[in-house]
Amino acid sequence: MTTLSFDKSKLTSFVNDEELAMIQPMVTVADEMLRQGTGAGAAYTDWIKLPTEYDQAEFARIQAAAQKIKKNSQVLVVIGIGGSYLGARAAVDFLNDYFNSAYSDGEREFPQIIFTGNNISGQYLNSVIKLIGDRDFSVNVISKSGTTTEPAIAFRVFKQMLEDKYGAEASKERIFATTDAKRGALKTLADDQGYEEFVVPDGVGGRFSVLTAVGLLPIAAAGGDIEQLMAGAAAAQNDYADADLQKNEAYQYAAYRNILYRKGYTTELLINYEPTLVQFGEWWKQLQGESEGKDGKGIFPASGNFSTDLHSFGQYIQEGRRNIFETLVRVTNPASDVVIPEMEADDGLEYLQGKTMSYVNRMASDGTLLAHVDGGVPNMVVEIEQQDAYHLGYMIYFFEIAVGISGYLNGVNPFNQPGVEAYKKNMFGLLGKPGYEELTTALRERL
């Protein structure tokens, strides 16, 4: 099996070969726009060559910082929101046991990674503080501007905690800032205080930043092999460089999504059968939704965590409105497995005794796929061979390059997010932020 396979065999009832051939000229144009920098948002496409053209010196500093964190901290608090944390969280979950234990001889081999600054809940923040307890910890604050509300609040809290625990000077050694190379509130503070700094590249938007320091430092601190992660992405960069749909499965995925969208399938569910893939779905939702959802257009990205969700909204998928299609992500060889015990019991499992849970899970996956196709739900399958850093890097690039093509096929700029600012303006107005006085009055009258 190749590193990643894309199975579209269950689409034959929904899309024919002629339709794929007809969209090829548009894919060719989209490829030119993406790779020659002639399309909208071209200034934010440096991620295309990132796996082979990343900053080697910074990469070495990331590895060194991860070792430093490992030696002096039992916990790493990662502060960021959106693209500043989703990719890292997806990778940390994907590469570790579900509960991120990573114990060795009764001691944690790598620091526990806790993500915060991604909401405005005081209850959540208090829970994080209790979880840290009296353990040694460090902080990686990730923000290009340093003024995004959610991470800025969290950073204030944990900066104060570090200073109270270690003192103002010693705490500076435990703060790692990933921010803009030249400007911004966090950059200014980091320069002034002497925090170790890593760069959010100008040409890489947040939702594409997992293979930069934004994702690499937390992943490395959690024990992830970031060299293999980049190697997998580099292999995908090479494999998905041809605009010919017959040779490029990432482009096939983009094309089929757009064909289905034009037929009225306006919601895509990314499906998994492994809890360690749940956060990958969260990363994917931002990648797809923020890239394509604009100008009154776009496929709505959602996720399904099976078989769990088959007992909740599975009925809707099977027999509800026929505006859904599914993309199943699965791993051929599980990271670990359990054999179902043989015993005398009245639980009806005699026919499964001695079989592995991965086998049962696979049959559940195949059976569900066929049932949903029979029910009128188009299905595609993205499958990787192993659940490791190399395959993860490869799959990340598969979805990134696909959404770049997909956005251009749908006539939108895949690399901006103008709608994200709307809620922020209203929030600032209601909070009484200076400069928003007129908006404050208008909004409070509406409420």
Side-chain angles (χ1 to χ4, degrees):
M1 183 177 178
T2 58
T3 304
L4 181 150
S5 66
F6 174 63
D7 181 3
K8 64 279 189 184
S9 62
K10 302 302 182 291
L11 290 179
T12 54
S13 299
F14 308 95
V15 180
N16 60 50
D17 292 341
E18 183 181 356
E19 290 176 281
L20 191 67
M22 290 294 289
I23 205 171
Q24 176 66 74
M26 290 177 276
V27 170
T28 301
V29 171
D31 175 77
E32 292 174 357
M33 293 168 66
L34 186 63
R35 297 185 185 276
Q36 296 180 16
T38 59
Y44 297 96
T45 57
D46 287 356
W47 54 271
I48 297 172
K49 296 182 179 180
L50 183 65
T52 55
E53 298 183 3
Y54 60 90
D55 186 331
Q56 297 280 350
E58 182 179 61
F59 191 85
R61 287 200 304 113
I62 290 169
Q63 292 176 306
Q67 287 301 312
K68 178 181 177 181
I69 294 166
K70 175 184 174 181
K71 289 178 180 178
N72 70 8
S73 298
Q74 295 164 288
V75 177
L76 174 64
V77 179
V78 180
I79 299 173
I81 195 168
S84 294
Y85 94 101
L86 284 168
R89 186 169 184 179
V92 169
D93 274 19
F94 183 92
L95 298 173
N96 288 280
D97 289 337
Y98 183 70
F99 295 105
N100 191 26
S101 53
Y103 285 105
S104 176
D105 297 326
E107 297 293 331
R108 185 177 289 277
E109 186 178 0
F110 300 101
Q112 183 178 16
I113 312 299
I114 303 175
F115 293 91
T116 188
N118 48 64
N119 57 59
I120 320 176
S121 168
Q123 180 180 0
Y124 177 86
L125 211 59
N126 273 323
S127 296
V128 172
I129 292 169
K130 291 176 183 177
L131 183 60
I132 295 171
D134 61 359
R135 292 183 291 172
D136 287 315
F137 73 101
S138 294
V139 167
N140 177 205
V141 54
I142 306 168
S143 176
K144 194 165 179 65
S145 67
T147 58
T148 304
T149 306
E150 294 90 341
I153 291 172
F155 183 50
R156 274 203 178 200
V157 171
F158 289 104
K159 180 176 181 291
Q160 185 65 59
M161 284 180 59
L162 284 170
E163 292 178 352
D164 290 344
K165 185 177 180 69
Y166 301 105
E169 286 303 312
S171 67
K172 296 175 184 178
E173 294 295 316
R174 293 177 174 272
I175 297 176
F176 301 84
T178 306
T179 188
D180 192 272
K182 299 177 181 178
R183 63 187 72 83
L186 181 56
K187 168 64 177 173
T188 300
L189 177 65
D191 286 349
D192 180 64
Q193 296 295 308
Y195 304 152
E196 184 161 8
E197 297 178 41
F198 300 97
V199 175
V200 181
D202 285 339
V204 180
R207 57 189 175 276
F208 294 88
S209 67
V210 61
L211 298 178
T212 72
V214 170
L216 294 178
L217 179 55
I219 294 167
D225 188 338
I226 58 174
E227 291 184 1
Q228 281 296 297
L229 186 75
M230 298 303 287
Q237 178 185 326
N238 178 70
D239 290 348
Y240 300 134
D242 198 312
D244 187 345
L245 283 171
Q246 299 306 314
K247 300 177 182 179
N248 191 326
E249 290 186 327
Y251 283 21
Q252 287 178 27
Y253 170 63
Y256 281 120
R257 292 179 77 247
N258 276 266
I259 293 169
L260 290 169
Y261 174 60
R262 285 158 176 75
K263 289 173 178 276
Y265 297 99
T266 56
T267 296
E268 180 178 11
L269 293 177
L270 192 78
I271 303 301
N272 72 77
Y273 282 79
E274 286 291 343
T276 49
L277 280 166
V278 170
Q279 291 301 323
F280 186 85
E282 297 302 303
W283 169 81
W284 174 88
K285 283 193 286 189
Q286 185 195 11
L287 181 71
Q288 303 293 336
E290 205 167 75
S291 296
E292 296 188 307
K294 54 201 71 167
D295 301 336
K297 295 182 284 189
I299 299 165
F300 181 78
S303 59
N305 306 312
F306 292 174
S307 62
T308 305
D309 287 341
L310 292 173
H311 295 261
S312 54
F313 61 83
Q315 168 63 38
Y316 186 94
I317 297 171
Q318 189 68 45
E319 297 184 343
R321 292 188 63 185
R322 301 298 77 184
N323 64 341
I324 297 170
F325 68 96
E326 294 175 304
T327 300
L328 167 62
V329 172
R330 63 182 178 186
V331 182
T332 306
N333 301 305
S336 64
D337 213 341
V338 172
V339 175
I340 299 169
E342 297 185 13
M343 63 176 65
E344 292 185 9
D346 295 327
D347 55 10
L349 294 182
E350 293 84 356
Y351 71 108
L352 295 179
Q353 292 183 154
K355 292 182 170 62
T356 62
M357 288 187 68
S358 66
Y359 170 78
V360 178
N361 207 20
R362 183 82 181 195
M363 295 305 99
S365 169
D366 287 342
T368 303
L369 186 152
L370 293 174
H372 287 179
V373 169
D374 290 346
V377 180
N379 264 257
M380 298 177 280
V381 181
V382 173
E383 184 162 354
I384 56 173
E385 191 174 3
Q386 304 287 343
Q387 193 163 336
D388 59 23
Y390 183 90
H391 287 79
L392 176 60
Y394 197 101
M395 184 164 61
I396 285 171
Y397 195 88
F398 172 92
F399 283 111
E400 287 184 342
I401 200 71
V403 82
I405 294 296
S406 186
Y408 283 145
L409 286 177
N410 204 24
V412 300
N413 177 353
F415 309 114
N416 68 352
Q417 52 281 339
V420 172
E421 301 303 314
Y423 92 90
K424 293 181 182 179
K425 291 179 181 178
N426 285 354
M427 179 177 68
F428 293 153
L430 291 171
L431 288 171
K433 184 175 181 177
Y436 290 79
E437 288 80 6
E438 290 186 10
L439 182 60
T440 299
T441 301
L443 289 176
R444 288 178 178 172
E445 287 178 355
R446 289 177 60 188
L447 290 174

